[in-house]
Amino acid sequence: MAERILITGGTGYIGSHTAVVLSQLGHDIVLYDNLSNSSDAILDVLQEITGKPIPFVKGDIRDTDLVIHTLKSHNIDAIIHFAGLKAVGESVEKPLDYFANNIQGAISLLKALQTQSINTFIFSSSATVYGEPQYLPFDEEHPTNALTPYGRSKKHVEEILKDLASSNPALRISCLRYFNPVGAHESGLIGENPKGKPNNIMPFIAQVAIGDREELCVFGDDYPTSDGTGVRDYIHVMDLAEGHASSLAFLENNTGWHAFNLGSGTGFSVLELIHAFEEEANCTIPYRIIGRRAGDIAEYYSNPDKAAKLLGWKTKRNLNEMCSSTWQFQKKLN
Ligand code: NAD
Ligand code: UD1
């Protein structure tokens, strides 16, 4: 059933791809973002891709009155909450900023939702809530023991949502634990375009491939993994976006609090990722092995069975498609 959906953080990387998928499924979308890590220039691009204008409200999620006004004036049925700060290293330096934005922000949004008796809420969580693996693959029953302020902000919001769901049986809440989102829309018009030096590996590789950076530093080759480099469960951002559509459909028939892993179930090493990118971009990525990055985990990947069973969702796009779409986007950017 078509719904009217508020997407917070909607001009950001994952929010914008999700907006495309939901809009193309016939939902009415409203984007809400303070533009702290994105630009409203994307609105024209989204219109070009979807063929229709998407309403946008510039605002902070901590401005409860503006959120309430937006929910009322657009007659919103459901919220997908992407807005937040996401740089792990920065969260260690500025924990209060992360708690204020991510936790206080979520509380403000939830207070606004209550005033309008909106029951459906999807939260962008992260595999980082699990912390150091006690076993692999991570399933949703794995204990959550986030290791950084960023990770703890996700864990705390998940817990707040669980308590809220216990207090009101009408609520329908999904916490989606993303593994490593990468890639871009097939048009090459939207993708991940971090400000400054990228923290994450895929945009870094793309900037090396295009010649903006000299080489990739590989953070350690002495991990107990197949080739000694870190292993992650990379997920194509369009698969991830489709996971939100599946979650929305699931919540139509299910009340309560639910957590789902959104990942492929397969881990790839840094070297495997570099080689896949080289194949797709037909180039050589110069790299140098340096020491491990503080706080990095050797290896983790998802058990995606719960999402397959309950959401009817699984990833469709492989590592090479993640690299080729990233490359198409990077070429259009430069
Ligand atoms: P992004 O930075 O591209 O998008 C987040 C958007 O939220 C930005 O457009 C930013 O301007 C906006 N925003 C931040 N604080 C705000 C506030 N107080 N009020 C209104 N808008 C605000 O990040 P993304 O990669 O699209 O991530 C989206 C969500 O997914 C985040 O919550 C992030 O923590 C989570 N997540 C991301 C990853 C990843 O690797 N990208 C992995 C796991 C989870
Ligand atoms: C990081 C965050 C995690 C967050 C995720 C979102 C940390 C410690 N963790 O995860 O909380 O949910 O982003 O996608 O920051 N690598 C290099 N060279 C680089 C960059 C990365 O070798 O220049 C390696 C890393 O050591 C790791 C892999 O590439 O093995 C992936 O790194 P990255 O993209 O930063 O993601 P995560 O560390 O998994």
Side-chain angles (χ1 to χ4, degrees):
M1 204 180 68
E3 295 194 78
R4 289 172 297 268
I5 303 163
L6 185 77
I7 301 188
T8 75
T11 48
Y13 172 46
I14 305 171
S16 59
H17 288 78
T18 304
V20 168
V21 166
L22 294 178
S23 170
Q24 289 177 336
L25 284 171
H27 296 291
D28 289 323
I29 304 299
V30 178
L31 308 183
Y32 187 101
D33 202 298
N34 67 1
L35 303 179
S36 58
N37 197 36
S38 55
S39 155
D40 59 4
I42 198 163
L43 298 170
D44 288 342
V45 184
L46 292 178
Q47 179 164 357
E48 189 181 336
I49 295 173
T50 62
K52 47 190 164 189
I54 297 188
F56 170 64
V57 176
K58 181 174 180 217
D60 197 289
I61 49 171
R62 288 166 292 180
D63 184 346
T64 317
D65 290 340
L66 181 61
V67 177
I68 293 174
H69 174 76
T70 307
L71 297 176
K72 265 190 200 160
S73 58
H74 291 277
N75 210 3
I76 294 293
D77 306 308
I79 299 180
I80 306 187
H81 176 37
F82 293 97
L85 301 177
K86 63 165 185 174
V88 176
E90 187 184 58
S91 81
V92 176
E93 284 157 28
K94 301 177 183 170
L96 289 181
D97 287 1
Y98 273 67
F99 295 138
N101 209 328
N102 294 3
I103 300 179
Q104 215 167 307
I107 293 172
S108 159
L109 203 55
L110 291 164
K111 282 194 165 159
L113 166 149
Q114 277 187 328
T115 67
Q116 302 309 300
S117 304
I118 294 168
N119 291 326
T120 304
F121 191 84
I122 297 179
F123 174 56
S124 290
S125 189
S126 167
T128 201
V129 295
Y130 294 121
E132 192 69 45
Q134 294 180 12
Y135 58 85
L136 283 174
F138 281 136
D139 57 29
E140 289 82 353
E141 302 307 313
H142 188 285
T144 53
N145 186 24
L147 302 171
T148 63
Y150 166 71
R152 280 188 281 276
S153 76
K154 294 291 176 190
K155 178 175 145 77
H156 292 330
V157 173
E158 283 202 2
E159 287 164 350
I160 289 167
L161 290 168
K162 204 177 214 172
D163 286 339
L164 199 61
S166 305
S167 76
N168 177 358
L171 289 176
R172 299 159 188 270
I173 296 174
S174 269
C175 296
L176 303 181
R177 296 174 178 165
Y178 311 157
F179 280 68
N180 283 55
V182 296
H185 185 260
E186 48 267 20
S187 63
L189 294 173
I190 55 172
E192 187 176 14
N193 183 17
K195 291 179 180 163
K197 190 175 170 189
N199 293 312
N200 296 116
I201 191 163
M202 187 66 113
F204 205 106
I205 291 179
Q207 292 186 10
V208 172
I210 206 85
D212 285 351
R213 295 184 188 276
E214 253 177 47
E215 61 177 9
L216 172 75
C217 290
V218 175
F219 299 144
D221 69 347
D222 57 352
Y223 285 110
T225 59
S226 54
D227 61 20
T229 64
V231 167
R232 294 292 182 272
D233 183 344
Y234 296 98
I235 171 170
H236 196 299
V237 67
M238 291 305 291
D239 279 329
L240 188 60
E242 289 166 9
H244 291 75
S246 302
S247 179
L248 207 52
F250 169 82
L251 292 178
E252 272 184 30
N253 300 314
N254 293 277
T255 55
W257 180 96
H258 308 270
F260 293 103
N261 285 340
L262 295 186
S264 75
T266 307
F268 289 99
S269 73
V270 171
L271 296 183
E272 285 172 321
L273 178 61
I274 293 173
H275 294 141
F277 201 99
E278 288 178 332
E279 258 173 53
E280 292 305 320
N282 197 19
C283 71
T284 300
I285 306 290
Y287 69 84
R288 184 159 52 96
I289 311 278
I290 62 163
R292 295 180 178 190
R293 178 172 64 179
D296 265 358
I297 290 171
E299 174 168 36
Y300 64 86
Y301 46 93
S302 66
N303 178 336
D305 291 351
K306 185 178 174 191
K309 192 165 163 221
L310 297 184
L311 304 183
W313 170 92
K314 57 183 181 181
T315 59
K316 293 188 221 144
R317 299 158 177 92
N318 64 25
L319 190 68
N320 279 63
E321 287 164 287
M322 299 178 209
C323 294
S324 61
S325 61
T326 303
W327 182 230
Q328 294 317 315
F329 173 67
Q330 185 67 50
K331 281 193 294 184
K332 285 208 163 117
L333 262 186
N334 283 62

